[in-house]
Amino acid sequence: MALLGVSGVVAGQLVNARREARRWRREQVRDDVRWAREQRRWAEERDFETERYWRDQRFPIYTAFLAAISNLRVEMTYAGDTLREGAELDRARRESLVHLAATARDLYAPLGVVGPPMSVTRPPS
């Protein structure tokens, strides 16, 4: 009878250990799914923040470049009109054109860094 009692306790413990192992595996799978979902959400948030950062960087860079090009265009129009009339450009006007061209060139360089605008996606929910 004692042998039957001991074998019952051992069998109960084995069944309990097996049930506990299955429960632990289910929880592990659930945690892995939750962790992967969190990682995906964090990656989406990082991508969105990076895209927003570069969009915010692009605006002042493009604005400054367009302003410089516009200023250069106005000066070149004036210089072209002056030269068409047969007059010479004075030294100040020539220096202004050189300065504006250099400014436009210097402001063009960052455009290669910020690149073309990307589509802005919605933030992850």
Side-chain angles (χ1 to χ4, degrees):
M1 190 67 156
L3 186 59
L4 190 58
V6 169
S7 65
V9 170
V10 169
Q13 288 297 324
L14 288 174
V15 168
N16 193 31
R18 186 170 180 207
R19 188 177 327 141
E20 198 55 34
R22 280 189 301 205
R23 184 184 64 77
W24 185 83
R25 281 193 297 271
R26 279 193 312 266
E27 285 182 9
Q28 189 66 35
V29 167
R30 199 173 319 138
D31 284 345
D32 288 347
V33 168
R34 186 179 313 126
W35 183 82
R37 190 180 316 124
E38 283 292 312
Q39 291 291 46
R40 201 170 35 252
R41 185 177 61 81
W42 290 337
E44 288 171 357
E45 286 176 3
R46 264 192 322 271
D47 291 346
F48 178 75
E49 289 300 321
T50 299
E51 195 170 316
R52 185 168 57 178
Y53 169 80
W54 283 111
R55 183 190 62 222
D56 292 346
Q57 294 298 311
R58 268 186 215 97
F59 185 74
I61 290 171
Y62 277 104
T63 303
F65 177 69
L66 290 175
I69 291 297
S70 179
N71 291 340
L72 182 59
R73 185 186 61 81
V74 168
E75 273 304 304
M76 290 183 75
T77 300
Y78 177 80
D81 291 345
T82 303
L83 292 174
R84 263 192 295 280
E85 293 172 0
E88 293 262 335
L89 288 179
D90 59 16
R91 180 183 174 108
R93 185 69 62 182
R94 285 194 311 265
E95 288 176 0
S96 175
L97 280 170
V98 169
H99 174 71
L100 287 171
T103 300
R105 183 192 63 237
D106 292 344
L107 290 172
Y108 178 75
L111 295 179
V113 175
V114 296
M118 298 170 19
S119 64
V120 177
T121 57
R122 295 182 187 263
S125 33

